Amino acid sequence: MNQPQPDRIVIHYHEIALKGDNRPMFIRRLTGNLVKALQGLGKVRILTPRGRILLCLNGETQWPLLGERLSGIFGIANFSPAYSASTDPEAIEALVDRLLDEKKFKTFRISARRGDKAYPLTSMELNVRLGRTVQEKTKASVDLEQPELTIHVEILQREALVYFEKLDGPGGLPVGVSGHVISLISGGIDSPVASYLMMKRGCTIGFVHFHGHPHLTKASLEKAEELVQHLTRHQFESRLYAVAFGEIQRLIVLSVPPPLRVVLYRRFMIRIAEEIAHRERAKAIITGENLGQVASQTLENLTVIQEAARLPILRPLIGFDKDEIIETAKAIGTYSTSILPDQDCCRLFIPPHPSVAAPLSDIEKAERNLDISGLVKMGLETVERMEFSFP
Ligand code: ATP
Ligand code: MG
């Protein structure tokens, strides 16, 4: 007889289960995100029995691809391809018996859970009963500590599920539950990681990139586009605003002493990003800034940069070591794009010794020589808007 194919995926979430009254909203968002993520993979029905999400597959669902998609959906703690039977203990025994035909193992344990507490057998009674069946069939012995095979059994109201492995989801909160933010994405290593971490905390992200055009090529923009496309697998739709910053930098250079320039560039980036944030109804601005990584990233300078905005600037990488950031970038798949050579606009007109603590009064004095709102408007007039989607 043919080996049965998994006809269910059981999805477990942990953190969101704790969120009290918000829980229904979290689950609605997670299932909504699943609908988007599973597009094109065949007909999948989504059910939400107590404490879990269930995907009911039909024969056309493409498994490895489905697993790949699930592994990118925030809010999923783990997921398991599973086999269904009626809740009748004999039916469960028959299913386990059939599934074990192809499995070789010397030790095992049964891990039964009841989602339906009205079920006539307790979890313990089920463990014992199924354990006996498996022992008789296979002669394997029970090992509760380190079994070669764990046979998970979940009793739901309408059916029982059997599965053998739990695959890791990315954890976090479903994208969309925490609101919308604007992320400054440079094409470097840090900002894509910062964006990822905010999506993992439930934010949707709109991206802004500043390129050096017309004084440099748009190579950095191509990297930003690639990074945004990659990150879109977690939020399904993204918008990227590309801003030409070269001319603004040139005008800053004309009237601002070299040590202050980097902080001034950042303040203008933030002002332009804040205008875009208002259009997008975003609640915060995200950067990949980190304490002490480069001269411009001191507490003093970060404070002066914040002073240019009303919205909070969030810096999720603030306490990370560079090694940790690189490791995360590799794990989330952005590193290889980030290290491609480009012409970052910030290297244009960059002074050799930027101030590590530019006093706000000096900065404001330097900005008095500039038409601040005019420059912001000039930047906004160059904006190109790009849309990305996944799958
Ligand atoms: P990254 O690796 O993200 O470029 P970094 O360590 O190189 O960060 P900086 O170049 O000083 O640091 O930039 C600090 C932050 O400012 C970036 O993480 C990013 O959020 C923002 N930023 C810098 N340059 C740009 C740009 N060209 N477009 C958009 N955002 C930028
Ligand atoms: Mg950079």
Side-chain angles (χ1 to χ4, degrees), residues 183-192 208-211 220 262 266 269 286-289 293-294 296-297 322 344-346:
S183 179
L184 269 63
I185 190 155
S186 69
I189 296 170
D190 302 341
S191 39
V208 179
H209 175 77
F210 297 89
H211 57 79
S220 69
V262 175
R266 286 285 176 269
M269 283 186 182
I286 310 304
T287 76
E289 285 162 320
Q293 201 184 86
V294 291
S296 60
Q297 297 179 5
K322 190 74 187 185
D344 183 38
C345 69
C346 288

Side-chain angles (χ1 to χ4, degrees), residues 78-117:
N78 60 66
F79 58 98
S80 306
Y83 305 82
S84 68
S86 87
T87 56
D88 179 355
E90 273 157 33
I92 303 173
E93 278 173 328
L95 174 60
V96 169
D97 184 83
R98 255 192 312 146
L99 293 174
L100 292 187
D101 281 343
E102 302 272 302
K103 296 213 182 279
K104 287 202 169 44
F105 56 95
K106 292 207 181 69
T107 58
F108 75 100
R109 79 174 167 157
I110 310 283
S111 168
R113 282 165 66 174
R114 297 183 310 165
D116 174 18
K117 299 296 175 203

Side-chain angles (χ1 to χ4, degrees), residues 8-24:
R8 300 284 183 268
I9 307 282
V10 204
I11 296 175
H12 291 112
Y13 39 83
H14 45 201
E15 195 163 7
I16 54 179
L18 306 174
K19 296 271 170 175
D21 290 348
N22 285 332
R23 196 172 138 163

Side-chain angles (χ1 to χ4, degrees), residues 54-65:
L54 202 57
L55 306 183
C56 306
L57 315 180
N58 67 7
E60 342 158 347
T61 314
Q62 305 162 37
W63 164 246
L65 208 50

